[in-house]
Amino acid sequence: MLRKNLLKLSSFTIVLIICCKLQGQNLENYNKIYNKTYLETSQNDFSKALFIADSLFQTSKTPKFQTKSLMLSATLHQQSGNIKKAVDYAQKAEKIAVDSDDFLWQSKIYGFLSSQYRNLGLYIQSKNYIDKSESIIKKLDSKLYADNMMGFIMQEKAYYEIQFKNYKKALSYIQKSQNYFNSAGNKEIFITANNKQLEGLCYLKLRNFTKALNSYKDAETALEDMPDNFLKGLIFNGTAQVYIETKNLNLAKKYLDKAESISDQSNYINLKNEIYTTSQQYYMATQNIKKLTEVTKKHDSTSQKISDSTTSFINTEYVDLKNKLEEKKSLGKNLIIIFFIVLAVIILIIIGIFYRNHKLVLNNLNNDLREVKKNYSELQNNKKTESNLTKSEKDSEGETEQQSIMTEATEQKLLAKLEKFENSVLFTKNTVSLPYLAAYCGTNTKYLSYIINNFKHKDFNNYINELRINYIIEKIKTESKYQKYKISSLAEEAGFSSQSKFTVAFKKITNMSPSHFLQTLKDREI
């Protein structure tokens, strides 16, 4: 009881401090609380950070401060893996920013939403938001603000290319991003460090370990005086990966411990997932099976949470979209009914006028109508006779239609979508799920399962695994550098969440283990 009262007192104290510091909405005081909450409090006490973010919104007196407070909440929820709440808060902020004609914050919000949909694999929605952000930037009066926002746009485009493993193209966007920030005079160390971290990631994936290490070191130096935060965790994790790849396991452990220390205190679910992946690589390299088993369980659990969150969001979006379409359909029907009622009233009025003024014409019209009715009746009798002759055929045809799950046109459309999916690299995302693919194909999971089972002759998991294995086999055969990769790196490249799952799938499809396959290729070359 005492502890609860102390917690309440602490919360009220926070609100009091915020109210005092924000008297008159002083930007400097606001930013101090905002930055401390985002970079420090959220890493150590996530619930407290959410409480402060909500308090900032409650005490904000202007649309600008309200928008910024809502976006702080959106960012915190995004870090915790709650994409639904992150998007909800961002959309609330968007409404305020649009109503107040705040173009700067509109562009920021659209950039944020672009990131969320990109992480979900909904790339069309992601591109729509990034296009909206660029369009809004053109309305900014200040070139400095416009250049600064373009820096973030280029950064988002770099993330997009990294998602598709286009690391060289991503590096060019990172350079453009930094050029825009420099042009805007933005010297915030966090932004510079973020670009350097992304640069290090790209060089790591390109296996240029010297440049990767230099970039990570520059990022680490930039954040040296800042408290521990998620970006530091990503930098330490990347550095550990470089040392694992270069066989310097002592330094790898040193940086992995630093990353794990930050991750243990943080609620940032994607950071935890990245570090668990690196830990697996380290314990595999040191052959510490006990630790490998422990961290694999943690990694699988975290990956499942991310996958569940993604699936839940996509399912919710699909249901909302379906409801909106049904509402529009219902509205359309109502409008048609109203149209015909109005039309009928107009016709009756016209007939009434003609009836009153031209009885003779109306009588002739009635005679014509009776003749038409007679002809129509004869036509219906003829049709009825024809119908009786072919009734058994039509009944049979009706039964066939009822047995069919979907039309042939729908089947062909879905098969075309699957072919497009197979020709992409989207299946290498380890968060791919049946609901995700159904959303990509513009259908539901029942239809998609039917198509995969009947036309691909396998269930969803085996379908995805076969695509991934065939993809990585083709890479190994056509690009010699892949023959030098570790099995764990091949597994990650193919989209598997663990080396063990990759090995099982590989053996099931090829009847040999990945290491045996690689050795067979080497023997052939000799």
Side-chain angles (χ1 to χ4, degrees), residues 113-352:
L113 288 169
S114 174
S115 299
Q116 306 320 302
Y117 283 104
R118 170 179 50 77
N119 288 330
L120 290 164
L122 302 174
Y123 298 111
I124 294 175
Q125 292 92 325
S126 175
K127 188 176 185 306
N128 287 341
Y129 275 113
I130 208 67
D131 289 344
K132 286 178 76 171
S133 184
E134 280 196 83
S135 177
I136 290 293
I137 287 170
K138 294 175 184 177
K139 297 182 180 181
L140 294 174
D141 295 330
S142 168
K143 186 179 184 303
L144 292 181
Y145 282 160
D147 283 348
N148 195 53
M149 286 310 304
M150 284 303 297
F152 288 113
I153 291 290
M154 293 300 117
Q155 201 175 73
E156 172 59 24
K157 288 185 176 183
Y159 277 114
Y160 187 89
E161 296 302 333
I162 289 170
Q163 202 96 12
F164 283 93
K165 301 179 175 26
N166 298 326
Y167 303 115
K168 289 183 179 179
K169 196 169 182 180
L171 283 168
S172 70
Y173 278 124
I174 294 167
Q175 185 58 56
K176 288 178 183 178
S177 169
Q178 196 57 51
N179 290 341
Y180 274 116
F181 286 135
N182 292 341
S183 176
N186 191 335
K187 297 180 180 178
E188 282 197 33
I189 55 175
F190 193 83
I191 288 173
T192 302
N194 195 19
N195 271 342
K196 283 294 178 182
Q197 182 265 327
L198 283 177
E199 197 175 82
L201 174 62
C202 289
Y203 283 127
L204 172 63
K205 296 297 183 180
L206 291 169
R207 304 188 71 76
N208 189 332
F209 301 124
T210 301
K211 285 189 176 182
L213 193 59
N214 289 338
S215 295
Y216 281 129
K217 288 295 182 184
D218 288 343
E220 182 183 350
T221 302
L223 297 183
E224 194 171 17
D225 296 329
M226 290 187 72
D228 285 346
N229 55 68
F230 71 89
L231 184 55
K232 270 192 175 183
L234 289 172
I235 293 165
F236 293 147
N237 182 66
T239 307
Q241 285 185 317
V242 173
Y243 284 130
I244 291 171
E245 293 290 350
T246 54
K247 311 296 184 187
N248 194 334
L249 297 180
N250 289 331
L251 282 175
K253 185 66 167 70
K254 174 186 172 183
Y255 278 93
L256 184 57
D257 286 345
K258 287 183 177 183
E260 285 178 340
S261 175
I262 293 173
S263 174
D264 289 342
Q265 299 297 318
S266 174
N267 205 55
Y268 198 163
I269 193 166
N270 284 318
L271 173 65
K272 292 178 183 290
N273 201 46
E274 289 290 329
I275 292 171
Y276 289 147
T277 300
T278 306
S279 297
Q280 284 179 307
Q281 293 171 358
Y282 174 77
Y283 292 125
M284 182 74 72
T286 56
Q287 297 184 345
N288 190 332
I289 304 303
K290 182 180 178 182
K291 283 285 188 181
L292 177 63
T293 304
E294 290 175 5
V295 81
T296 298
K297 287 181 181 178
K298 291 180 180 178
H299 180 267
D300 288 347
S301 175
T302 307
S303 294
Q304 189 61 48
K305 285 180 183 177
I306 294 172
S307 178
D308 288 346
S309 176
T310 301
T311 301
S312 174
F313 181 85
I314 291 174
N315 281 341
T316 303
E317 287 286 288
Y318 180 80
V319 170
D320 288 346
L321 178 61
K322 187 178 178 182
N323 290 338
K324 286 176 183 176
L325 289 173
E326 287 177 354
E327 286 174 9
K328 286 182 179 179
K329 190 176 179 181
S330 177
L331 178 62
K333 286 181 179 178
N334 291 336
L335 288 174
I336 290 170
I337 292 169
I338 291 169
F339 170 77
F340 278 109
I341 290 172
V342 172
L343 184 62
V345 171
I346 292 171
I347 291 172
L348 287 173
I349 291 171
I350 293 171
I351 290 174

Side-chain angles (χ1 to χ4, degrees), residues 449-462:
S449 293
Y450 172 83
I451 290 294
I452 293 174
N453 290 336
N454 286 275
F455 289 90
K456 304 299 178 179
H457 306 296
K458 53 183 73 71
D459 61 22
F460 173 77
N461 287 332
N462 285 320

